[in-house]
Amino acid sequence: MLRSLVRRQVCPLVSRPLTRPLSTADRIVKHPTMSTTPDANPNYILTLACDDKPGIVHAVSGAVRDFDANIIDSAQFGDPSTGKFFMRVHYSTPTADSLNVMKERFSTDIASPFGMTWELHDASVKPRVMLMVSKIGHCLNDLLYRWSTGQLPIDIPLIVSNHKDFYQLAASYNIPFHHLPVNKNNKEAQEERIWELHQEEKIDLVVLARYMQILSPKMCSRVSGKAINIHHSFLPSFKGAKPYFQAFDRGVKLVGSTAHYVTSDLDEGPIIEQGIERVDHTHDVKALTAIGSATECLTLARAVKWHAEHRILMNEAKTVVFR
């Protein structure tokens, strides 16, 4: 039944999608995350970081009050090791005040005097996410299911892969699938095409859902703080190829996974979330891999959700996560 609904196009090395969106009449799934029904009151999320000093919370809460807003939840953290202060405030306003007006007022009255790095987001706007995958699809499948059932507050306008394996999975969710095979001769050109798609689709976040190509330093710089990778081991242990074989050979009692931001230092980016499961001597490599795969799915989904909800702030080479 699925095959009859998939419309395929010839797509050798270029970026035309193997699948194009189905017509409205043909759509199989209506995703809850696509709802455009507005909330009763506009919601906003303010995040900030600055040198820790007295009066920050008082100033920020006063600014929110001046917006005639109601604070829904607020979290803060002062790091004694770096002397930095971090804060996330989720608030609602009775009217749809201009986001730009609030930004201008906050910048002038609060951010500049305290030397803040800050962002103010409309909570109703979902980040646009590019999913990238190679030949192992459990993380991709998990993210698509969570998105389709409304568990992830994101939009997914496209999937990019260096293999064709998951074009039918993409079609079943009505998402364009771009097949961009990579070899040593075309790697730079294909990466440029990925960046073109990134710009064309106004992507806010790239998720490497077991995409097994190393991004160039140039691409890492372009998506700095806006790209998440899932590493199929509990970093910093067992880096490189076949981590579950390495873990088995060492007789580990825990297997895990690490979601981190992408940097040019391979698998050394700021850690967002880690997951672990207990194992023992009875588990062979296949069992360790199965347990680890389930852990990867949950760890990556948490990282994507927290990023989409603006819960992650950078603290030098680390992260502060207001869960």
Side-chain angles (χ1 to χ4, degrees):
M1 179 64 178
L2 175 61
R3 291 181 180 272
S4 66
L5 292 177
V6 176
R7 299 173 178 171
R8 289 181 288 176
Q9 296 176 331
V10 176
C11 177
L13 299 180
V14 295
S15 59
R16 291 174 62 196
L18 283 173
T19 61
R20 64 175 182 268
L22 305 178
S23 67
T24 302
D26 289 337
R27 284 179 184 162
I28 306 169
V29 180
K30 183 177 181 180
H31 301 290
T33 53
M34 295 181 179
S35 172
T36 57
T37 303
D39 294 333
N41 292 316
N43 277 229
Y44 302 94
I45 297 172
L46 170 68
T47 59
L48 61 93
C50 63
D51 291 337
D52 200 355
K53 63 182 69 175
I56 300 173
V57 175
H58 178 268
V60 172
S61 59
V64 174
R65 178 204 60 209
D66 291 342
F67 295 152
D68 195 23
N70 178 53
I71 294 178
I72 298 172
D73 62 77
S74 178
Q76 65 201 52
F77 171 67
D79 186 349
S81 68
T82 62
K84 293 292 184 181
F85 178 84
F86 305 87
M87 191 173 187
R88 178 186 184 272
V89 183
H90 179 194
Y91 66 88
S92 64
T93 59
T95 59
D97 293 335
S98 169
L99 185 62
N100 290 332
V101 171
M102 287 190 288
K103 286 182 177 180
E104 183 177 348
R105 288 169 58 187
F106 187 84
S107 176
T108 301
D109 299 342
I110 307 298
S112 293
F114 282 95
M116 294 176 175
T117 300
W118 63 284
E119 295 180 351
L120 182 59
H121 300 273
D122 184 336
S124 68
V125 177
K126 299 181 179 68
R128 294 172 61 79
V129 176
M130 173 191 287
L131 298 181
M132 299 182 67
V133 66
S134 290
K135 293 178 72 68
I136 301 174
H138 57 277
C139 287
L140 173 67
N141 189 57
D142 182 77
L143 290 173
L144 291 174
Y145 175 77
R146 291 176 189 271
W147 165 71
S148 71
T149 55
Q151 299 178 53
L152 291 177
I154 61 175
D155 285 330
I156 306 174
L158 76 165
I159 297 169
V160 173
S161 180
N162 55 327
H163 297 278
K164 293 182 180 181
D165 298 54
F166 300 112
Y167 80 92
Q168 288 185 317
L169 177 63
S172 71
Y173 285 96
N174 195 27
I175 298 175
F177 182 92
H178 293 263
H179 177 221
L180 297 175
V182 176
N183 57 54
K184 63 181 181 180
N185 297 318
N186 73 353
K187 184 177 177 65
E188 183 177 352
Q190 294 295 58
E191 202 168 78
E192 282 301 312
R193 181 54 190 149
I194 291 170
W195 180 246
E196 289 176 4
L197 291 169
H198 183 286
Q199 297 300 100
E200 290 169 6
E201 295 292 346
K202 297 180 172 58
I203 296 301
D204 301 300
L205 176 67
V206 176
V207 176
L208 307 183
R210 297 300 303 272
Y211 182 70
M212 306 308 289
Q213 292 289 321
I214 298 174
L215 300 184
S216 69
K218 181 179 180 180
M219 178 62 83
C220 289
S221 177
R222 283 170 163 175
V223 298
S224 177
K226 305 290 185 182
I228 296 174
N229 181 45
I230 183 66
H231 193 279
H232 46 296
S233 69
F234 193 58
L235 291 175
S237 299
F238 308 127
K239 292 188 288 186
K242 297 185 176 180
Y244 294 115
F245 285 82
Q246 298 177 51
F248 176 76
D249 290 339
R250 292 292 302 275
V252 300
K253 305 307 178 188
L254 296 170
V255 294
S257 57
T258 302
H260 62 91
Y261 284 117
V262 174
T263 66
S264 56
D265 296 323
L266 182 63
D267 296 330
E268 297 288 344
I271 293 172
I272 302 169
E273 173 65 338
Q274 294 182 293
I276 56 172
E277 286 290 339
R278 186 163 293 281
V279 296
D280 60 34
H281 60 278
T282 65
H283 293 94
D284 59 13
V285 172
K286 183 177 180 180
L288 292 180
T289 302
I291 295 169
S293 295
T295 308
E296 292 166 29
C297 291
L298 182 57
T299 301
L300 181 59
R302 284 173 174 166
V304 172
K305 185 174 188 292
W306 293 339
H307 182 98
E309 295 175 343
H310 312 291
R311 296 183 180 276
I312 309 168
L313 285 76
M314 298 303 304
N315 184 15
E316 297 183 352
K318 302 182 290 185
T319 61
V320 172
V321 183
F322 293 120
R323 294 185 289 179

